[in-house]
Every structure is written in C-alpha cells, then in structure tokens.
Amino acid sequence: MTQTPLPPGHRWHDMGGTAAGPVPDDQHDFALWEKRVDALMVLCATKGHFTVDGLRRVLEDMGAEAFETMTYYERWIVSVSQNLIEAGVITQSELADKMQQVAARGPTYGEATA
Amino acid sequence: MPHDHADHDHLSPSGHPYRKDQDAPLTHWQQMEIALRELLIDKGVTTAGEIQNQINAMDSRSPANGAAVVARAWTDPAFKAALLADASAATREMGFDIGPMNLIAVENTQAAHNMIVCTLCSCYPRNLLGLPPDWYKSRAYRARTVKEPRAVLAEFGVTLPDGMTVRVHDSTADMRYIVLPARPKGTEGMDADGLAALVTRDSMIGTGLPLAP
C-alpha cells in the first residue's frame, strides 16, 4: 500500500498527520475467538504478567505490513503470546505443541475448541 | 456516510447487512488463541470461567453507559462539574465499573467541537462505551483526524459552522477521552432517560452530533 514517507524519527505506527484515503465504513461483530483474545489480554495484564505497553511494543515491532495484512485480534494474539513467552509464563515449544494438537482436532473453530 | 449501507435489498430487520456465518476454516491465529487459552488454563494462570466472566463484562459495556453519563451531565449541573473535573470518579460514582481507566471528559460548546482519536494505536474509552468501532482503529481515521478533522467529519455527515473551533484529542492507554456533546435545542423539559436516547456513540467520539428530539 502506498504511504506517505514518515518524518524523520517517526516509526510506522506514528501515523497521525500522514495522508490516507476515506475512513472505511465496514464494521464487523466480534467473533468469540476475538472476544477471548481481548479477555486474555485484560486478564493477563490485570494479573501482572505484562502491561499494555508490552502489548503495544510487540504490535509496533510487527511492522506496517502486519498492520495491513492481519486483522486487529490476529495481531493481538501474536503480541499476547509473545509477551507471555518473554514473561516466562509459557514457552515457545509449549505453544507450538499445543497448536499442533488443536490443528489435529478438526478444521473449524467449533471442532478445535475442546 | 459510514453507517449508510448502499445495498438496501439485503438488510436485516436491524437495518444492517446480514452477517456471514463464522464457520470458515480454522486460521493459524485462531489455533493460536485456542492453544494459548488452554495452556493458560492448564497452568492455572486463569480459568474458563474467569475468561467468560471477562467477556461478559466487556459485552455489558456499551454506548448506552456513556449516554446515561451525558444525559445526567445535561440535567445535573453539579454532576457536570464533577464529570469535567474527574470523569473517572464521576462515572464510577454513577455505578459504572470502568476498571483502572483514566477518563477525561471534553465539553462541546457553541464555540468549540471536540473529537477523539488515537494516532499511535487504538486507545478508546472502552471500559465505559465497550469496544471501539472498526473505523476508529483504521489507518485513515488515525492518520487524518489530527490533520484534517473537518474533512473527516464531512465523511460522517457532520458540517460545523466555519467559526467553530475543532479540538482533536489524541488518546493514550493512560489518558482516554469522551466527548460531552452539547445538549440539542428543543429538549427543554425532557428527563434524563429521554435525553439519553438522543446520545449516539459517535456523538461521544466527536464524529457525530446528538439526535434531534
């Protein structure tokens, strides 16, 4: 996507004042999995495992391409997972193993949710 | 206008397009959500009940909460003063569970109109109004609102008098805003419940105005 070059010192997410097209008018109702991501973020932050600043730091490090190609809660689940790995709450291999188990359960969200 | 739908032949009774079923093939990111949630439950970090309670709490928050706050400010001068002095304390005093949110109310007058945005991310008074609309999180709204607010307002169907000041407030996670819209003309004698029905979500973001009575 064509974007205005950012002023020096501005990272991609610092988009205030840059040129952009019309404000989009599409709206979706949040799916259950998205609400669960939101809930996990709030609960883990409330319990002190990471902060909203940690959430944002990973979102920002994911870069502009992730912003354009992934949905909001797709980016959030990556950030929540990464923050919990960094905090030592889970490990990368635990997450990978569990994702394989989930994938083996079936092709839809309903089937894969135990 | 962002809430007009061109194709009126395919609208539900609520006036919105019918939604697609959410039974598409499981995505990688949905697998990650399921896996992470189960890991956190297995490890005792949280429970399924706690997650559901948090979802229920978030679902129970809606613009109706903000509308009740605005309507009270329109009818109760002492409350309005308290709201403008400390919106977090004032909304908690009304009984709303806004968690740790630091909320600031900005008042629209005949001379000034306020809008809220989060240019860096998507900060929004979610613990009062519920989750933000998708457009609030869009590149276009984040990028343009601080530079050409009147052009953005025009896309929402709002045209302000030329002499009116437009103030745009850029939110952060630690400082979130709600617009206190100006009470519409012709509402003298209406009670708070009647007034609350005139207060739209967008009027509390500043991309809209209250409905006419």
Side-chain angles (χ1 to χ4, degrees):
Chain A
M1 178 173 285
T2 307
Q3 290 158 25
T4 318
L6 289 167
H10 289 238
R11 291 183 69 204
W12 72 270
H13 65 276
D14 190 1
M15 55 183 71
T18 56
V23 177
D25 64 0
D26 43 332
Q27 176 68 32
H28 83 295
D29 283 356
F30 296 105
L32 177 58
W33 82 271
E34 295 177 299
K35 294 183 180 189
R36 283 171 161 164
V37 174
D38 197 275
L40 290 177
M41 163 57 201
V42 173
L43 289 171
C44 290
T46 303
K47 292 169 189 286
H49 296 299
F50 63 99
T51 67
V52 68
D53 306 294
L55 177 79
R56 270 190 53 194
R57 192 255 310 159
V58 173
L59 295 174
E60 291 164 11
D61 286 352
M62 288 170 72
E65 187 181 342
F67 181 83
E68 303 296 350
T69 59
M70 294 168 68
T71 67
Y72 189 76
Y73 284 108
E74 287 174 350
R75 286 176 273 127
W76 269 41
I77 191 62
V78 170
S79 180
V80 171
S81 299
Q82 180 63 26
N83 272 278
L84 290 171
I85 290 167
E86 292 176 16
V89 177
I90 61 166
T91 67
Q92 183 75 57
S93 63
E94 283 174 338
L95 183 61
D97 290 349
K98 184 67 98 171
M99 284 180 70
Q100 282 201 328
Q101 292 172 29
V102 170
R105 289 178 193 158
T108 69
Y109 189 80
E111 289 165 295
T113 301
Chain B
M1 245 175 96
H3 291 98
D4 284 349
H5 299 287
D7 185 2
H8 288 277
D9 292 337
H10 299 91
L11 299 185
S12 73
S14 71
H16 293 82
Y18 286 104
R19 295 190 300 274
K20 291 178 185 170
D21 289 338
Q22 296 173 337
D23 55 3
L26 190 64
T27 68
H28 178 78
W29 313 113
Q30 290 172 327
Q31 288 171 357
M32 187 177 283
E33 177 273 309
I34 298 168
L36 181 67
R37 175 165 45 88
E38 291 184 5
L39 274 178
L40 293 175
I41 293 169
D42 290 348
K43 288 171 175 283
V45 173
T46 187
T47 64
E50 197 172 46
I51 295 166
Q52 189 57 49
N53 286 344
Q54 172 58 30
I55 292 173
N56 293 347
M58 207 60 227
D59 278 349
S60 74
R61 293 166 171 139
S62 82
N65 295 358
V69 171
V70 168
R72 184 165 169 201
W74 284 347
T75 53
D76 178 347
F79 178 78
K80 178 180 167 184
L83 182 72
L84 293 173
D86 184 342
S88 298
T91 49
R92 286 191 189 110
E93 184 265 332
M94 276 187 77
F96 294 115
D97 173 15
I98 62 165
M101 181 168 71
N102 180 23
L103 185 65
I104 297 168
V106 288
E107 181 187 13
N108 285 353
T109 64
Q110 291 196 327
H113 179 89
N114 295 280
M115 293 175 75
I116 63 174
V117 65
C118 177
T119 62
L120 293 173
C121 42
S122 55
C123 300
Y124 181 79
R126 53 186 267 148
N127 284 358
L128 184 67
L129 303 186
L131 296 173
D134 287 348
W135 55 258
Y136 187 84
K137 304 182 283 189
S138 70
R139 172 182 289 280
Y141 186 74
R142 290 169 51 182
R144 291 174 52 218
T145 300
V146 288
K147 188 168 189 180
E148 44 178 8
R150 285 175 186 270
V152 172
L153 284 173
E155 289 174 26
F156 285 83
V158 175
T159 307
L160 301 174
D162 285 343
M164 185 174 276
T165 298
V166 179
R167 292 200 186 99
V168 179
H169 303 267
D170 197 355
S171 315
T172 71
D174 303 316
M175 192 152 59
R176 300 173 196 241
Y177 297 91
I178 182 172
V179 175
L180 173 58
R183 182 169 172 166
K185 292 193 175 111
T187 58
E188 299 78 7
M190 288 178 69
D191 64 11
D193 285 346
L195 290 167
L198 305 179
V199 181
T200 62
R201 176 195 66 200
D202 288 5
S203 74
M204 294 179 283
I205 303 174
T207 52
L209 300 172
L211 303 175

